[in-house]
Amino acid sequence: MSHTLGIRQAQKQKTRQALLDAALELLEGQSLSSLGLREVTRAVGVAPTAFYRHFRSIADLGVALVEEALGSLHPTIRTALSTTGDTEERIVRAVELIAGHVERHPAHVRFIARERYGGVRPVREAIGGQLARFAEEVAEALAEDPVSEGWSRDDLLMLAQLYVDQMIMTACGFLEAQEAGPEEQERSARLAIRRLRLIGVGRRHWLDDGHDDAGSGTPG
Amino acid sequence: MSHTLGIRQAQKQKTRQALLDAALELLEGQSLSSLGLREVTRAVGVAPTAFYRHFRSIADLGVALVEEALGSLHPTIRTALSTTGDTEERIVRAVELIAGHVERHPAHVRFIARERYGGVRPVREAIGGQLARFAEEVAEALAEDPVSEGWSRDDLLMLAQLYVDQMIMTACGFLEAQEAGPEEQERSARLAIRRLRLIGVGRRHWLDDGHDDAGSGTPG
DNA sequence: ATTTCCAGAGAACAGTTGTTAACTGCATGG
DNA sequence: CCATGCAGTTAACAACTGTTCTCTGGAAAT
């Protein structure tokens, strides 16, 4: 691992990264299923056949892009979840964190939003897998919160998924607001905060009303 | 309107509908931005040039598909919102309604989910416009509910959008569950119900805690 | 009955696509 | 130092794309 990889491998990874970058840029104006192999190689300035040295197909490249866009986000989320503070503070912090991420990696966010239900099955599944991992991490963090006392594992996961979906929708909102001026971004932020607030209120009062759900079926 | 349109116009509309249907079917395996004009006409069994008699471009056809998929949904939603009953009953009713719609028009739902953040700008905007209309209708219905006493117009719209987004995500869940067996559909339904329940709890306790938000800025 | 109109057909255009094959040059391992 | 491996090139393939122009048959209007 610590061994500096040779000139050969280094150059290969460089072109591979160039392909990924070019693809991501081209994807700002279209979907993955319409992205052409030649289109990508042309943008990089490399022969079409060179593509096959790195990816089996465009779908394969798409999966790699998912890894790049979401894979590195796990530690960020973990640290964000472990920050202490007032409920309100944590909400604002989370929204700011999302806003920052969208501002720094807009193309990545757009790609994920676009391909989450996009036309390329393997990519869809890759994104779904990563989001499921996020949800589990959030659920884990929620479980350690004293507010979650008495919550079933199922309900915790439900709430975690709700938070993950909310995170994505907030990111999408910022993305749309980004090309509509800063005052729209501000509006998006305030909207996201209020949404999270409302979900938080629901969370704190979840066990107040009786939830005699006969279908939950998790007696353990 | 009541005038029976001539043989000429009738045949034209028939071809137009055939193009829409064929496109929708082809879109189950790809995104709109990769759908070819010739691909569609070939599926219908018509000359490629005939396409231009009905649509200026594929994007134009996409917008027409949005109209078809979402336009007819407004009355459904309005009636669904005006049904009376217990909070829990209404939630279950709503989820059942979504499940039924997905089962009846899976291709339409898939299309909307896929193109909401898809690669074709006019289609994205058409979907966004329709969803905004939905949100306004929901907000209107919420305003008449006694639970909404004391709510600001802004907060009502926030909640309405949350419900609309929830509707779409529930529909997407059913779509994914559809190709995974009935027990997965059941699971999706129960998950959606609990989500709506939690949001409902948050709604009922929204005004309990003080929300001295200095940034809302809607004094009028 | 005759003219007008127009949905759709047909052919052709220049470009594009993914994929195969055989190649070249250079970093690498023995 | 020399042989091997392999990233990237070149050329060619059949198939496909959107768009234009010209044409035709039959419904509609006069």
Side-chain angles (χ1 to χ4, degrees):
Chain A
M1 291 295 177
S2 62
H3 194 271
T4 52
L5 64 182
I7 301 177
R8 198 81 190 247
Q9 302 258 343
Q11 181 55 37
K12 178 168 183 180
Q13 285 225 351
K14 209 169 146 186
T15 31
R16 188 190 132 103
Q17 191 58 48
L19 287 169
L20 287 170
D21 292 347
L24 199 62
E25 196 176 332
L26 288 165
L27 282 173
E28 298 198 6
Q30 62 187 310
S31 304
L32 186 70
S33 81
S34 71
L35 184 66
L37 174 157
R38 293 182 103 105
E39 204 177 344
V40 179
T41 56
R42 192 188 315 130
V44 174
V46 89
T49 49
F51 182 90
Y52 294 106
R53 297 286 179 195
H54 304 275
F55 307 102
R56 206 183 305 269
S57 64
I58 284 287
D60 199 21
L61 176 142
V63 173
L65 274 179
V66 173
E67 212 81 8
E68 182 178 286
L70 257 33
S72 68
L73 218 61
H74 288 277
T76 311
I77 288 191
R78 280 194 179 276
T79 57
L81 285 169
S82 63
T83 57
T84 58
D86 187 298
T87 310
E88 182 68 14
E89 285 175 33
R90 293 180 65 171
I91 289 177
V92 174
R93 194 82 53 88
V95 172
E96 279 173 356
L97 195 130
I98 294 171
H101 184 79
V102 173
E103 195 145 12
R104 244 171 306 130
H105 312 286
H108 275 150
V109 174
R110 169 157 31 236
F111 170 71
I112 295 299
R114 188 159 291 172
E115 302 303 328
R116 181 179 185 190
Y117 300 111
V120 185
R121 152 109 39 151
V123 172
R124 243 182 301 152
E125 286 170 350
I127 295 176
Q130 292 281 357
L131 295 189
R133 278 184 56 197
F134 284 140
E136 276 179 41
E137 286 165 13
V138 172
E140 215 172 296
L142 286 175
E144 290 175 13
D145 193 309
V147 181
S148 305
E149 244 181 307
W151 282 57
S152 75
R153 170 81 193 154
D154 240 33
D155 283 348
L156 270 179
L157 211 80
M158 177 272 288
L159 179 61
Q161 286 174 316
L162 186 56
Y163 274 132
V164 171
D165 283 333
Q166 215 60 35
M167 176 188 80
I168 290 182
M169 280 174 3
T170 302
C172 290
F174 278 127
L175 203 60
E176 289 174 352
Q178 198 169 275
E179 55 192 31
E183 82 282 356
E184 187 64 22
Q185 268 174 282
E186 192 70 25
R187 235 180 56 88
S188 286
R190 276 189 285 113
L191 185 74
I193 288 173
R194 279 188 322 211
R195 279 185 171 207
L196 288 176
R197 237 184 245 156
L198 188 132
I199 293 174
V201 172
R203 179 155 98 97
R204 280 191 294 280
H205 295 85
W206 179 242
L207 295 176
D208 292 1
D209 314 9
H211 289 299
D212 41 277
D213 182 14
S216 188
T218 47
Chain B
M1 290 296 177
S2 64
H3 194 271
T4 53
L5 65 180
I7 300 175
R8 197 81 190 245
Q9 301 259 342
Q11 180 55 37
K12 178 167 183 180
Q13 285 225 350
K14 211 169 143 187
T15 323
R16 188 189 131 100
Q17 191 57 49
L19 287 169
L20 287 170
D21 293 348
L24 199 62
E25 195 176 332
L26 288 165
L27 282 172
E28 298 197 7
Q30 62 187 311
S31 303
L32 186 69
S33 80
S34 72
L35 184 65
L37 173 158
R38 294 182 103 106
E39 204 178 346
V40 178
T41 56
R42 193 189 313 131
V44 174
V46 90
T49 51
F51 182 90
Y52 294 105
R53 298 287 181 194
H54 303 276
F55 306 102
R56 207 183 304 268
S57 63
I58 284 287
D60 198 22
L61 177 142
V63 172
L65 274 179
V66 172
E67 212 80 8
E68 183 178 286
L70 257 32
S72 67
L73 218 61
H74 287 276
T76 311
I77 287 191
R78 279 192 179 278
T79 58
L81 284 169
S82 62
T83 58
T84 58
D86 188 299
T87 309
E88 182 69 13
E89 286 174 32
R90 295 180 64 172
I91 288 177
V92 173
R93 194 83 51 86
V95 172
E96 280 172 356
L97 195 131
I98 294 172
H101 184 80
V102 174
E103 194 144 12
R104 247 171 304 131
H105 312 286
H108 274 151
V109 174
R110 169 158 30 235
F111 170 70
I112 295 300
R114 188 160 291 173
E115 301 303 329
R116 182 179 183 191
Y117 299 110
V120 186
R121 152 116 31 159
V123 173
R124 244 183 299 153
E125 286 171 350
I127 295 176
Q130 292 282 357
L131 295 188
R133 279 184 55 197
F134 284 140
E136 277 179 39
E137 285 166 15
V138 172
E140 215 172 296
L142 286 174
E144 290 174 14
D145 193 310
V147 181
S148 306
E149 246 180 306
W151 281 57
S152 75
R153 170 81 195 154
D154 239 34
D155 283 349
L156 270 179
L157 209 81
M158 177 273 287
L159 180 60
Q161 287 174 315
L162 186 57
Y163 274 131
V164 170
D165 283 333
Q166 215 60 34
M167 176 187 81
I168 290 182
M169 279 174 4
T170 302
C172 289
F174 278 127
L175 203 62
E176 288 174 354
Q178 197 171 272
E179 55 193 30
E183 81 281 355
E184 188 63 22
Q185 269 174 281
E186 191 71 26
R187 235 180 57 88
S188 285
R190 275 188 285 113
L191 185 73
I193 287 173
R194 275 183 318 182
R195 279 185 171 206
L196 289 177
R197 234 184 247 156
L198 188 131
I199 292 174
V201 172
R203 179 154 97 95
R204 280 191 295 281
H205 295 85
W206 180 242
L207 294 177
D208 292 2
D209 313 10
H211 289 301
D212 42 278
D213 183 13
S216 191
T218 48

